[in-house]
Amino acid sequence: MWPYHPKLLETPVPRYTSFPTAAEFAPDISQRRHGDAISTATGDISLYVHIPFCEKICWYCGCNTAAANRAQRLTSYLDALHQEIKMVGAMLPAGARVRRIAFGGGSPNAISPVDFVRLYDALVLAFPLHDPLLSIELDPRTLTSGWGPVLTAVGASHASLGVQTFAPHLQEKIGRVQPEAMIEKSVSLLREAGITSLNFDLMYGLPGQSEEDLAQTLERATHYGADRIALFGYAHVPHMLPRQRRIDATDLPGPEARFAMARSGYSQLVEAGYSPVGFDHFALPGDPLARAMEAGDLRRNFQGFTDDQADVLIGLGASAISSFPDLLVQNEKNAGRYRMLLSQAQLPTALGKERSVDDRRRGAIVEELLCRGRARIAADILADSLDRLRPYLEPALARLEGGNMLVIASHALPYTRSIAAAIDPYRGQSPRRFSSAV
Ligand code: SF4
């Protein structure tokens, strides 16, 4: 069903969780500009709270996270995070309403349940919460029984478990060993705690992985009733992520094998009753993500595909990214500098990008292509992008309807990011910073 055009997939492309992407961020956004964006953010707002710690660091991981092996380091970080919560909450104007809070990382459950409750209480005190939808990323290896009552108490309804693969021989090769019984226990705990939308993060393209391995993992994920599945291709970029040097590159599936896995994974999940959402998510028909896809309301933000409609996302914590209609801004990544700035009552602004009118127009097109597979393209943008689009138009992976509606063919899902990249004028500058399209 998916034609394989290796040449069209060989250029690494962004995941487009923002436009412009983080590769375009520069250190020229002032704390004052960051503060102005916060203090004029009205309407519905979403919060993202970053916990950059994990009990054990997985070898493949691309997140900004560190081992949670020193209590003092965690305590100092949480003190700074509390400072930031107070400071940012006090800056928001009266018309702001927080409707969503996402805890991510790292692993939010690398901190203790008590510390998590304190963090949540700090958010309640500092921000105008309006019955927010609460989601949390969790590491099954450290999901202790104490987390159940805590998630119930704060009213968490969405959770995402890092699973990656159920195959023990692959878990060994990626430095993430978690027996299936641990997943089973985690699922029971989360369902009892009131989680109604449960996501499993899974991967293909792992060292030594076969299509059969992937099929078995997907079968186990559906067996445990995951409401959502995010199926990502493993991106091996050890020049950027030294921890990946522990992975044996000679054991990695080649591009064609990766493509075959993405294709067979897609078919298996659709046959199992999941709706495809965007190019790498799947959701059961009753899940809010599938409903958003169906209704044409799907969005793309730093957490991937989402049904969140807010145009303002405020990131809290080291390396967290905030998104405003006209500005993207990233907090200081280095935990020491992050703490120091907050100890001086300064916003931890590090990098960012003003979103020009052209960025916003192109960003809307990229989001439409990723979320709906079609977008109307203004004449000036089309003229500028046509040469880059042509390789996809010629083999009918995409077509122009009525001269300006770019439509990605139903059999061209794996090319979605590459086609979107044709609209992106920043590409071609640093291709090694991205992952392969499949
Ligand atoms: S638990 Fe998740 S965030 Fe932490 S190291 Fe492993 S993959 Fe990375």
Side-chain angles (χ1 to χ4, degrees):
M1 68 187 181
W2 290 354
Y4 182 50
H5 297 279
K7 278 261 166 246
L8 297 180
L9 293 170
E10 74 185 9
T11 304
V13 280
R15 302 194 63 77
Y16 289 117
T17 54
S18 70
F19 190 91
T21 72
E24 275 66 65
F25 290 6
D28 57 1
I29 303 298
S30 66
Q31 289 169 330
R32 187 180 189 156
R33 175 71 180 101
H34 187 181
D36 284 349
I38 295 169
S39 58
T40 53
T42 54
D44 288 354
I45 285 176
S46 300
L47 299 180
Y48 170 76
V49 184
H50 191 69
I51 310 290
F53 297 104
C54 294
E55 189 67 20
K56 290 183 201 129
I57 302 297
C58 313
W59 302 346
Y60 59 86
C61 177
C63 299
N64 174 44
T65 190
N69 53 5
R70 296 216 313 267
Q72 184 51 42
R73 186 154 67 166
L74 253 70
T75 306
S76 312
Y77 179 77
L78 290 174
D79 286 348
L81 187 53
H82 277 264
Q83 273 289 117
E84 189 187 9
I85 288 170
K86 262 190 230 147
M87 187 186 302
V88 172
M91 292 168 87
L92 276 180
R97 294 181 302 269
V98 172
R99 305 298 305 272
R100 291 194 184 227
I101 307 174
F103 292 90
S107 306
N109 58 322
I111 64 173
S112 72
V114 171
D115 282 337
F116 180 79
V117 171
R118 287 196 188 117
L119 206 52
Y120 183 74
D121 287 347
L123 292 167
V124 172
L125 285 175
F127 286 95
L129 304 192
H130 285 243
D131 191 20
L133 185 154
L134 207 141
S135 64
I136 183 164
E137 293 170 12
L138 296 161
D139 181 348
R141 297 171 299 176
T142 47
L143 190 57
T144 53
S145 57
W147 278 91
V150 163
L151 293 175
T152 307
V154 301
S157 58
H158 290 41
S160 178
L161 279 180
V163 177
Q164 319 311 344
T165 174
F166 279 92
H169 68 285
L170 299 181
Q171 293 181 2
E172 295 274 353
K173 293 183 179 201
I174 58 172
R176 185 184 183 121
V177 174
Q178 49 186 26
E180 186 167 331
M182 198 179 263
I183 305 295
E184 187 173 8
K185 208 167 128 206
S186 299
V187 171
S188 301
L189 181 148
L190 293 172
R191 292 302 193 191
E192 277 166 30
I195 296 297
T196 53
S197 182
L198 177 59
N199 176 73
F200 279 12
D201 277 350
L202 302 176
M203 284 206 282
Y204 66 86
L206 295 172
Q209 190 180 30
S210 65
E211 273 189 61
E212 184 52 32
D213 289 326
L214 178 64
Q216 282 176 11
T217 281
L218 296 178
E219 188 279 319
R220 298 320 290 156
T222 56
H223 168 81
Y224 288 115
D227 301 289
R228 300 179 185 184
I229 291 173
L231 182 58
F232 302 121
Y234 166 60
H236 191 64
V237 284
H239 55 286
M240 288 164 55
L241 299 169
R243 61 174 73 124
Q244 291 186 345
R245 289 194 192 123
R246 299 184 74 178
I247 290 182
D248 181 1
T250 62
D251 214 7
L252 291 169
E256 192 162 2
R258 285 172 66 94
F259 189 86
M261 278 188 221
R263 181 166 49 197
S264 62
Y266 177 95
S267 301
Q268 185 176 342
L269 289 174
V270 169
E271 272 163 31
Y274 285 79
S275 304
V277 175
F279 54 83
D280 56 7
H281 284 46
F282 299 84
L284 289 176
D287 187 86
L289 199 63
R291 292 208 305 267
M293 179 80 191
E294 179 82 4
D297 290 337
L298 190 69
R299 301 290 307 270
R300 182 102 176 133
N301 70 13
F302 293 109
Q303 281 123 55
F305 290 105
T306 177
D307 56 332
D308 185 359
Q309 304 300 313
D311 285 325
V312 174
L313 172 68
I314 296 181
L316 301 160
S319 81
I321 300 177
S322 299
S323 172
F324 304 93
D326 56 356
L327 179 73
L328 296 165
V329 55
Q330 182 166 30
N331 279 355
E332 178 56 60
K333 268 188 197 174
N334 178 283
R337 282 199 293 273
Y338 170 79
R339 288 198 307 267
M340 188 199 66
L341 287 165
L342 284 156
S343 70
Q344 297 167 354
Q346 297 183 52
L347 280 174
T349 318
L351 301 169
K353 177 86 175 80
E354 294 283 353
R355 297 180 82 218
S356 67
V357 172
D358 189 56
D359 288 337
R360 294 169 68 172
R361 290 169 73 216
R362 288 177 192 261
I365 293 170
V366 167
E367 189 175 16
E368 287 282 313
L369 289 173
L370 266 49
C371 295
R372 282 169 271 292
R374 55 171 54 224
R376 197 169 297 286
I377 320 258
D380 58 323
I381 295 180
L382 186 58
D384 165 77
S385 313
L386 202 52
D387 282 347
R388 293 192 296 272
L389 281 171
R390 218 164 258 125
Y392 304 93
L393 296 171
E394 277 158 12
L397 294 173
R399 61 184 183 276
L400 278 168
E401 287 180 359
N404 67 353
M405 175 67 83
L406 179 62
V407 180
I408 299 176
S410 58
H411 59 264
L413 203 60
Y415 302 89
T416 302
R417 286 198 283 148
S418 305
I419 293 170
I423 307 295
D424 179 352
Y426 298 100
R427 294 291 53 82
Q429 293 161 14
S430 53
R432 284 176 65 80
R433 300 187 63 158
F434 302 106
S435 56
S436 59
V438 167

